[in-house]
Amino acid sequence: MAKNLLIVESPAKAKTIEGYLGKDFTVKSSYGHIRDLVKSDDAIDIANGFKQKYEVPADKKQIVSELKKLAKEADMVWLASDEDREGEAISWHLFDTLDLKDASTKRIVFHEITKPAILKAIETPRKIDYNLVNAQQARRVLDRLVGFELSPVLWKKVKPSLSAGRVQSVAVRLIVDREREINKFKSEAAFKIVALFGKGKEAFKAELPERFSQQEDAEKFLQDCIAADFEVRSLDTRPAKRSPAAPFTTSTLQQEASRKLGYSVSRTMQVAQKLYESGHITYMRTDSVNLSDTALNAATDEIVSAYGDKYHQYRKYKTKNASAQEAHEAIRPTYFNHHTIQGDSGEMRLYELIWKRAIASQMSEAQFEKTTAKISISSRKEDLVANGEVMKFDGFLKVYLESSDDEEDNVQDGENAMLPPLTKGQRLALQEMTATERFSRPPARYTEASLVKKLEELGIGRPSTYAPTISTVQNRGYVVKEERDGKQRNFRVLTLKADKIVKDEKTENTGAERGKLFPTDIGAVVNDFLVQYFKGIVDFNFTASVEKQFDEIAQGLTEWTDMIRDFYTPFHKEVESTIQTADKATGERELGAHPESGAKVSVRIGRYGPFVQVGENANDEDKEYKPLYASLRTGQSIETISLEEALELFKLPKVVGEFEGKPMKVAIGRFGPYISHNSVFVSLPKEIDPHDVTEEKAIELINEKRKKDAEKLIKAFDEDATVKVLNGRWGPYIEFGKLNVKIPKDKDPLTLTFEECKALADAMPKDAKKGRFGKSVAAAKPAAKKAPAKKKVAAKKK
């Protein structure tokens, strides 16, 4: 047995490190946390200083047992979990659970998995930093208290099975607020003037800085330009520089990987974790932009070697975030001379992005010559403006250019790659001028990456919490990330060419969304409930101040139990008061009256999601009265659905056409939407909206079912039509009436006789009222769905 036991968090990291340390060290993994708070209500003893009750989960008992055995046999135990608060807490849990002793335990940290870094860490051990542990404990305890006390309130006042969290609820509020901004936004149209001068290689565009809100004014401008002279009034040429961005932090890596690679926040962190554990990059949870002297020297050598002296410019970046956690480095490659790595495509692409960003941060500024030409119009007082840019020295742009979330929106028609040679007073020949109707845009919906950026700006969350927060709000069903098709919109274009103005109306697709975050109806209702009754939980400034208090605990400036008590006491009173006084929250909105019956039409959240109701609930005197209900379609919201859209939902069941002389009816039944045809029922795939099913689509789905059924049937028997040999999800089996019978391995399904099938069915236990291999019959073979009777419009209640 080796004298030293070194414990890290992941097995991949353990394998890499063991190769560096030699036979005197055994390196093992704890596979992350080895214990957590118990799931019961007594996890935190509020009356006894918020003392926590921990347990080792079942899947970690074997790991703990093995580590305990190895720790007893070792002379020294080295705790080498990650260098952030979470990692410090893991070391403390290991120390406590494995019954380690101070004298034979050392804590080491490193931010890169290289042999020099590991050996240096071994040479400079320390003890567990209980300030960092307490900061993590404070976060864990506070979040558990919030979740355990808020969730039952939501179950009673909104809907069963809901949950709430401190940072997650703020993230949901940001998304809900942005959606409402967009819904309230009124787009305004204005005409943009763009002129094209010159021909061929000498052609360039110029734009009028002002826009016209009325078509008549835009047309008047074009009219005035018909006989006008155009002349270069002024030329302004000046040098310009562009500097590289700082190396990546967790937040900026998530943003840029989203823009450039299309990665979700969670995928970025998963891939970065693999790169770190393989020794390719430094620690990936950091809010520092600092690079060590060793890294700066390595970057300098690589830039000079690969690109030459003129491309190098030494820079020391400073972290602007005053609440940045422990003194980490920025995310960078461990070896700057490794331009690429071996790995899967995801790892290679993310590594290349990290390498480029880090190396570019130490490269020279890009130098440009920017030219602005103002062009006078003899018949108007306004000037047209043309901009051109010529790169004189590429500098860091040789390697890397940072993206932005709104770069498409910032493109100007008056921007040219470069302008042709122009002189002041030069007369210009107009080739064409257009006045194009453009519409103002609402604020952009959040992407995962832009939401992380916003949280960071507000001081909410930390590098280790961004990805879990984004995942949690989606997993809880409060937010969805999806693509939505845009709508067609007409716009007007006036074109002046050859002294004539031509008017045209064109069509564009607007409002299409790709990978954006949308609040669900239940997310909006929960948000409004929390805003009304628990302002502190969803208040941006309050949540940011809590994060600062965690930082103060980490620095040893605040006692963590005092901080928790100051939060919990008023919060608990709010919980008790809300349970007693708050009304049930449904987000109900009245849409109007039914055009035929006059019955009230409303929309709200129910146990199974958002729905429209026609008519009001029956009372004791009117027990015969039954309102009508219909679920909202995908993409519809209780906040924006109109009366007309709501009434459309009651048009099912409906006949969409005929096939083989029989009608095809689309309806929604107990098991979801379906098509019925000739007594056969075809379930609709989740991605198909039953309201959108056409005759052609219905025929296609019926034929697909027939093909699948034909492929499923292996053998049928004349003796009994209810006995079949079928291909199932887990292989062939016998359907014998209501029983699903397993076929022995030595039997060929194709050669089975009716007698053999009957014998196998008879051999099953007498009480076997179950379907295939323990599955219930209902689950294995659903009963045929009956088409519900066509709904009638609810009569007006008297």
Side-chain angles (χ1 to χ4, degrees):
M1 176 63 201
K3 295 178 181 179
N4 297 279
L5 172 64
L6 189 141
I7 305 174
V8 294
E9 290 182 34
S10 76
K13 197 187 298 184
K15 188 176 179 181
T16 306
I17 293 172
E18 196 162 43
Y20 296 146
L21 294 177
K23 58 182 176 54
D24 286 341
F25 279 82
T26 296
V27 184
K28 291 292 180 180
S29 167
S30 69
Y31 293 83
H33 278 281
I34 59 164
R35 68 179 186 180
D36 196 6
L37 291 169
V38 296
K39 303 294 184 188
S40 53
D41 291 342
D42 62 345
I44 299 163
D45 188 349
I46 296 165
N48 192 20
F50 301 98
K51 188 176 181 180
Q52 305 104 60
K53 187 176 180 181
Y54 288 99
E55 66 179 354
V56 177
D59 62 337
K60 290 296 180 75
K61 288 187 184 294
Q62 187 176 344
I63 295 166
V64 169
S65 178
E66 181 188 1
L67 291 176
K68 266 188 177 179
K69 180 176 179 293
L70 293 172
K72 284 181 180 178
E73 296 171 357
D75 295 338
M76 184 64 66
V77 178
W78 304 75
L79 302 176
S81 50
D82 291 341
E83 60 170 338
D84 55 11
R85 296 173 193 169
E86 200 75 21
E88 205 70 25
I90 288 174
S91 282
W92 170 66
H93 284 301
L94 284 166
F95 183 87
D96 200 46
T97 308
L98 303 182
D99 298 322
L100 302 180
K101 308 300 180 191
D102 272 325
S104 57
T105 306
K106 293 181 179 179
R107 169 81 170 114
I108 60 170
V109 294
F110 39 82
H111 66 270
E112 64 184 45
I113 302 176
T114 60
K115 189 170 184 177
I118 302 302
L119 294 178
K120 184 178 179 182
I122 294 290
E123 292 168 5
T124 56
R126 60 171 173 80
K127 293 297 181 183
I128 292 172
D129 186 337
Y130 283 95
N131 289 330
L132 298 183
V133 173
N134 290 338
Q136 192 274 342
Q137 292 293 91
R139 178 186 291 278
R140 187 75 185 89
V141 167
L142 187 62
D143 288 347
R144 169 61 73 91
L145 289 172
V146 169
F148 262 55
E149 296 225 354
L150 265 190
S151 297
V153 179
L154 296 178
W155 302 342
K156 292 178 180 178
K157 301 299 182 180
V158 184
K159 181 183 167 186
S161 303
L162 294 177
S163 57
R166 189 178 53 84
V167 177
Q168 296 93 318
S169 297
V170 174
V172 172
R173 182 180 182 183
L174 284 168
I175 295 166
V176 170
D177 287 352
R178 178 59 55 88
E179 191 69 20
R180 287 172 177 164
E181 276 185 75
I182 293 167
N183 291 338
K184 290 177 182 176
F185 183 81
K186 301 296 182 186
S187 185
E188 295 180 354
F191 287 82
K192 179 173 71 173
I193 308 292
V194 177
L196 175 66
F197 295 102
K199 293 181 179 180
K201 292 181 179 180
E202 301 293 305
F204 67 95
K205 290 181 177 180
E207 184 177 334
L208 184 71
E210 300 86 5
R211 296 196 178 190
F212 297 108
S213 58
Q214 301 298 324
Q215 179 177 332
E216 294 76 14
D217 296 331
E219 189 173 353
K220 175 68 166 57
F221 185 90
L222 297 188
Q223 287 281 2
D224 290 345
C225 290
I226 288 177
D229 294 324
F230 299 90
E231 184 178 294
V232 178
R233 182 194 297 277
S234 66
L235 276 172
D236 179 23
T237 301
R238 63 189 186 281
K241 294 179 180 180
R242 191 179 300 171
S243 298
F248 282 131
T249 61
T250 302
S251 167
T252 54
L253 175 64
Q254 290 168 349
Q255 293 167 48
E256 195 72 340
S258 173
R259 298 180 194 119
K260 276 190 159 64
L261 307 180
Y263 288 4
S264 68
V265 166
S266 60
R267 186 185 179 195
T268 296
M269 296 312 292
Q270 288 165 4
V271 177
Q273 180 90 32
K274 289 181 182 178
L275 292 174
Y276 169 63
E277 291 175 354
S278 302
H280 295 309
I281 64 169
T282 53
Y283 193 55
M284 66 286 154
R285 282 189 275 273
T286 176
D287 44 18
S288 170
V289 292
N290 179 53
L291 292 178
S292 67
D293 291 338
T294 303
L296 291 170
N297 292 334
T300 300
D301 292 343
E302 189 55 32
I303 293 166
V304 172
S305 170
Y307 308 110
D309 283 324
K310 66 179 181 177
Y311 279 93
H312 176 253
Q313 185 173 331
Y314 177 89
R315 288 188 185 83
K316 268 270 191 185
Y317 293 92
K318 289 187 178 180
T319 303
K320 295 178 182 177
N321 184 1
S323 61
Q325 281 191 35
E326 300 75 51
H328 300 161
E329 264 196 279
I331 304 169
R332 63 165 176 84
T334 49
Y335 304 102
F336 277 94
N337 59 337
H338 293 179
H339 293 214
T340 58
I341 57 156
Q342 294 297 314
D344 63 37
S345 62
E347 292 169 24
M348 291 171 69
R349 293 176 73 201
L350 191 66
Y351 176 83
E352 184 180 340
L353 189 67
I354 292 167
W355 182 88
K356 286 181 175 180
R357 175 83 164 219
I359 204 83
S361 74
Q362 297 303 307
M363 293 179 71
S364 305
E365 295 171 325
Q367 297 176 10
F368 300 88
E369 184 177 83
K370 294 193 78 167
T371 301
T372 301
K374 290 187 177 181
I375 300 161
S376 64
I377 309 166
S378 61
S379 57
R380 302 280 302 198
K381 62 179 181 179
E382 301 97 335
D383 287 339
L384 298 168
V385 178
N387 294 300
E389 188 175 74
V390 178
M391 184 186 292
K392 294 296 187 180
F393 176 61
D394 54 2
F396 76 94
L397 293 177
K398 193 173 190 72
V399 173
Y400 177 83
L401 173 62
E402 183 182 21
S403 300
S404 66
D405 289 317
D406 55 357
E407 53 193 12
E408 289 184 11
D409 297 344
N410 291 333
V411 175
Q412 299 293 319
D413 285 311
E415 297 280 351
N416 302 274
M418 60 182 294
L419 291 172
L422 297 172
T423 56
K424 186 177 178 181
Q426 179 180 341
R427 298 284 289 272
L428 300 171
L430 177 68
Q431 298 301 317
E432 181 181 281
M433 185 179 289
T434 58
T436 306
E437 187 178 25
R438 300 283 75 175
F439 298 86
S440 57
R441 297 186 181 185
R445 289 183 174 89
Y446 287 109
T447 61
E448 287 190 355
S450 64
L451 180 60
V452 167
K453 183 180 181 182
K454 185 65 176 178
L455 290 170
E456 186 181 43
E457 287 173 358
L458 293 171
I460 296 167
R462 289 296 181 263
S464 62
T465 66
Y466 298 138
T469 297
I470 302 295
S471 298
T472 299
V473 297
Q474 294 179 63
N475 294 338
R476 286 181 174 171
Y478 295 155
V479 171
V480 291
K481 181 175 78 170
E482 58 189 28
E483 298 184 357
R484 293 191 182 177
D485 296 329
K487 296 179 180 179
Q488 294 296 306
R489 177 174 66 190
N490 295 330
F491 66 99
R492 294 165 288 177
V493 181
L494 312 177
T495 304
L496 167 60
K497 194 170 185 179
D499 292 342
K500 290 184 178 179
I501 297 175
V502 177
K503 299 178 183 179
D504 194 11
E505 189 167 279
K506 298 184 179 181
T507 304
E508 63 183 353
N509 191 52
T510 181
E513 301 282 16
R514 296 291 178 265
K516 296 294 180 67
L517 299 175
F518 296 82
T520 61
D521 284 317
I522 192 63
V525 170
V526 168
N527 172 75
D528 291 348
F529 183 83
L530 294 177
V531 168
Q532 182 176 356
Y533 295 103
F534 298 94
K535 288 187 174 67
I537 295 296
V538 288
D539 180 79
F540 305 135
N541 293 328
F542 176 80
T543 308
S545 73
V546 169
E547 295 289 354
K548 289 178 181 175
Q549 290 176 70
F550 290 150
D551 294 335
E552 290 171 359
I553 294 167
Q555 295 161 22
L557 302 175
T558 300
E559 170 58 43
W560 77 272
T561 53
D562 292 342
M563 178 259 175
I564 297 294
R565 189 174 293 105
D566 289 344
F567 169 87
Y568 179 74
T569 303
F571 168 70
H572 183 66
K573 288 180 181 177
E574 279 185 330
V575 169
E576 292 182 323
S577 171
T578 302
I579 289 176
Q580 296 296 322
T581 62
D583 294 327
K584 193 167 179 65
T586 64
E588 182 171 359
R589 187 167 72 92
E590 188 171 339
L591 302 180
H594 193 284
E596 295 174 16
S597 69
K600 172 184 168 183
V601 181
S602 60
V603 60
R604 68 177 186 273
I605 287 286
R607 179 180 287 269
Y608 303 107
F611 68 94
V612 176
Q613 177 175 330
V614 177
E616 297 183 57
N617 294 324
N619 53 36
D620 292 338
E621 294 79 34
D622 191 12
K623 292 181 180 177
E624 296 298 315
Y625 179 81
K626 289 185 178 179
L628 299 181
Y629 306 95
S631 296
L632 267 63
R633 299 167 66 179
T634 301
Q636 289 183 326
S637 164
I638 60 176
E639 293 194 15
T640 57
I641 190 171
S642 65
L643 177 63
E644 293 72 22
E645 290 168 337
L647 294 177
E648 282 288 319
L649 300 175
F650 293 91
K651 291 188 176 179
L652 291 180
K654 68 176 179 180
V655 174
V656 294
E658 284 194 1
F659 180 48
E660 298 174 345
K662 301 282 185 179
M664 297 178 293
K665 185 186 291 184
V666 179
I668 298 176
R670 181 182 174 190
F671 302 101
Y674 65 91
I675 301 166
S676 66
H677 172 258
N678 196 22
S679 301
V680 175
F681 299 88
V682 182
S683 294
L684 288 180
K686 286 183 179 179
E687 65 272 12
I688 296 180
D689 190 313
H691 295 269
D692 296 336
V693 175
T694 61
E695 183 178 45
E696 294 75 16
K697 190 65 181 178
I699 293 170
E700 179 188 329
L701 291 170
I702 290 168
N703 284 329
E704 281 180 8
K705 178 172 172 55
R706 288 178 178 179
K707 184 181 177 184
K708 284 181 182 176
D709 289 347
E711 292 170 349
K712 183 180 179 182
L713 180 66
I714 296 175
K715 197 170 188 179
F717 300 95
D718 294 334
E719 294 92 330
D720 189 339
T722 66
V723 180
K724 299 170 187 173
V725 182
L726 302 172
N727 248 323
R729 185 177 175 187
W730 292 279
Y733 68 100
I734 301 164
E735 183 181 272
F736 200 97
K738 293 185 177 182
L739 289 178
N740 290 343
V741 183
K742 189 173 183 178
I743 300 173
K745 290 183 179 179
D746 60 345
K747 297 282 187 182
D748 182 353
L750 284 169
T751 62
L752 283 172
T753 64
F754 176 76
E755 288 72 21
E756 287 175 313
C757 291
K758 187 174 185 303
L760 288 169
D762 290 342
M764 291 184 71
K766 296 297 182 187
D767 61 347
K769 298 295 183 185
K770 297 209 170 185
R772 187 173 188 267
F773 320 140
K775 303 288 183 186
S776 68
V777 173
K781 184 186 177 186
K785 304 167 189 171
K786 292 183 180 179
K790 185 173 179 68
K791 294 175 182 175
K792 294 180 181 179
V793 175
K796 185 175 182 181
K797 191 176 176 185
K798 298 189 179 179

